[in-house]
Amino acid sequence: MQKIYAALCGLAVFSFLALAGHNACAEGYDGPKLKFRVAHTTPPGNHITLAFEKFKELVEKKSDGKIKIQIFPNAVLGSDRVLMEGAQKGSLEMAVSSTPNMANFSPLYQVFDLPYITSPKNQEKLYKAMDSGKLADYFKKVANDIGLEPIMYAEYGYRNFVTHDKPISKVEDLAGLKMRTTDSPVEVEVAKAFKTNPTPVAWGETYTALQQGTVDAEGNTFPHMYGAKHHETLKYAATTAHNYGMQVMMANKAWWDKLPKETQDLIREAAAEALKYQRTVLYPKNEAEAREGFIKSGVKIVDLNEEQLEEFKKATKPVWDKFQKQLPPELVEMVMETQK
């Protein structure tokens, strides 16, 4: 009878989860009603945008509609820096920024900008460290010290170099190009290492900059560029995978600390579920679709082999020499440990 009872209980819990979307340990959300805003710069259809939409859906479902989220996508409220400044000051409850742009708030985020410090083959180890490992603890303190609370390290992906009208398959091909960068000092130095002319441009202004010739190259992920229609102004690409980034969703810490624990737990649970969905479903699908979209629009993509990639890695050694000394050795080591 005990076994039958346990089986029936398990079936009931499963049915409840399927129908209501709640935890097995939860009996419904009893916390207060709440409405907050999340702003980001990612275009419609991008896996990052869809991840935040999933987050909204899950929060509202798990709270039985007591918690409402208003999302502002596609840089409608400003650049990464402007949005994160809003979250920092409290004029916005949550904001999203790429890790390179987080260098505006703490130079420690530059560790992820070091070229080739991570690689796609060790991605799962990096995820684990950022979600619940030593890196998670480290960057929670970094964020808290600047008035922010990390909620989700959404996938961004690996950047590849693209150009307006010049084929690229080797390091020398980049020389002399006007390269769009973020404000990240490391990213600027990477551009210099390849003998390009770094030109920091806000993401929302990059399409126009490419059209008008203010820049004629950039390094970014295929989904991010395709969603912003940059393929309309590009002709060549190379899979350099020279830099990895995340889209960090941060809450204003003072606002976050005032929320009841039950509310915080629900938001974090929804964020974790949305993040898993993004990494395993949305990102791979969007990456493949964006690449195919580039090819169909006439962009010629060169898939670099290991020998060619090694030349790109060698060219960026001066960047390591300069910035590794400026970053805490234990931080660099923690990131590198995820690649072993």
Side-chain angles (χ1 to χ4, degrees):
M1 287 298 294
Q2 286 181 330
K3 290 182 179 179
I4 294 173
Y5 178 76
L8 289 171
C9 285
L11 180 59
V13 168
F14 177 81
S15 299
F16 180 72
L17 280 169
L19 293 172
H22 290 159
N23 274 346
C25 61
E27 295 180 358
Y29 174 68
D30 294 324
K33 289 185 177 181
L34 178 69
K35 185 175 181 180
F36 65 89
R37 297 158 297 169
V38 177
H40 63 87
T41 62
T42 318
N46 185 278
H47 62 93
I48 301 167
T49 299
L50 297 176
F52 295 134
E53 289 176 0
K54 186 68 173 178
F55 169 68
K56 168 184 165 71
E57 174 193 321
L58 288 167
V59 167
E60 294 182 352
K61 186 175 183 180
K62 289 173 181 292
S63 67
D64 296 321
K66 289 183 180 179
I67 303 177
K68 300 288 187 182
I69 302 176
Q70 187 174 12
I71 296 182
F72 296 90
N74 208 25
V76 295
L77 294 186
S79 65
D80 283 13
R81 180 171 183 167
V82 169
L83 297 181
M84 199 55 69
E85 285 174 347
Q88 201 175 32
K89 295 172 183 175
S91 58
L92 193 60
E93 291 82 19
M94 288 192 193
V96 181
S97 170
S98 66
T99 38
N101 281 306
M102 283 304 298
N104 291 304
F105 303 90
S106 171
L108 296 172
Y109 288 98
Q110 292 178 128
V111 69
F112 299 109
D113 294 340
L114 289 173
Y116 299 103
I117 192 170
T118 64
S119 64
K121 66 181 180 181
N122 292 308
Q123 207 59 14
E124 290 301 322
K125 296 177 185 176
L126 180 63
Y127 289 158
K128 186 175 180 180
M130 288 303 300
D131 293 344
S132 59
K134 290 189 293 184
L135 281 173
D137 295 336
Y138 189 96
F139 279 103
K140 176 177 170 58
K141 184 179 185 308
V142 171
N144 289 171
D145 287 347
I146 54 177
L148 298 166
E149 178 70 26
I151 305 299
M152 183 199 302
Y153 293 100
E155 178 66 283
Y156 185 92
Y158 282 84
R159 290 175 173 83
N160 300 305
F161 283 127
V162 296
T163 70
H164 180 61
D165 56 13
K166 184 179 181 181
I168 44 173
S169 60
K170 55 186 183 297
V171 172
E172 292 77 11
D173 294 334
L174 293 170
L177 294 175
K178 293 175 287 187
M179 180 70 69
R180 179 267 171 180
T181 69
T182 66
D183 288 326
S184 166
V186 179
E187 193 174 352
V188 170
E189 287 301 316
V190 168
K192 290 180 180 177
F194 291 124
K195 294 182 171 55
T196 70
N197 299 312
T199 308
V201 177
W203 177 248
E205 301 168 9
T206 303
Y207 181 92
T208 302
L210 285 164
Q211 266 190 329
Q212 297 178 347
T214 306
V215 296
D216 44 29
E218 65 175 315
N220 221 311
T221 68
F222 288 140
H224 213 55
M225 293 184 289
Y226 186 69
K229 302 187 183 300
H230 288 196
H231 58 285
E232 296 176 353
T233 69
L234 302 169
K235 292 182 180 178
Y236 300 98
T239 56
T240 50
H242 57 279
N243 170 263
Y244 173 69
M246 290 168 276
Q247 288 284 87
V248 189
M249 184 165 72
M250 298 278 197
N252 172 269
K253 188 176 188 305
W255 171 80
W256 177 261
D257 289 345
K258 291 177 183 175
L259 296 178
K261 185 177 185 301
E262 184 178 9
T263 305
Q264 292 180 345
D265 289 347
L266 185 149
I267 291 172
R268 287 203 183 281
E269 179 186 292
E273 290 181 23
L275 183 58
K276 183 177 180 180
Y277 181 64
Q278 183 210 17
R279 289 171 175 170
T280 59
V281 179
L282 297 176
Y283 175 62
K285 182 173 182 288
N286 197 198
E287 181 75 25
E289 289 173 346
R291 181 187 167 97
E292 183 63 23
F294 262 61
I295 293 171
K296 286 183 176 178
S297 69
V299 178
K300 293 180 174 59
I301 301 175
V302 175
D303 289 305
L304 302 181
N305 58 38
E306 285 300 318
E307 185 178 346
Q308 289 171 309
L309 282 172
E310 194 58 38
E311 291 304 310
F312 279 86
K313 292 178 183 179
K314 286 179 182 178
T316 60
K317 188 178 183 305
V319 181
W320 273 81
D321 295 340
K322 179 175 181 177
F323 285 96
Q324 191 171 359
K325 298 173 185 176
Q326 299 178 21
L327 292 164
E330 68 274 15
L331 174 58
V332 176
E333 182 57 32
M334 275 192 284
V335 177
M336 294 181 70
E337 278 179 7
T338 67
Q339 304 301 296
K340 297 175 182 177

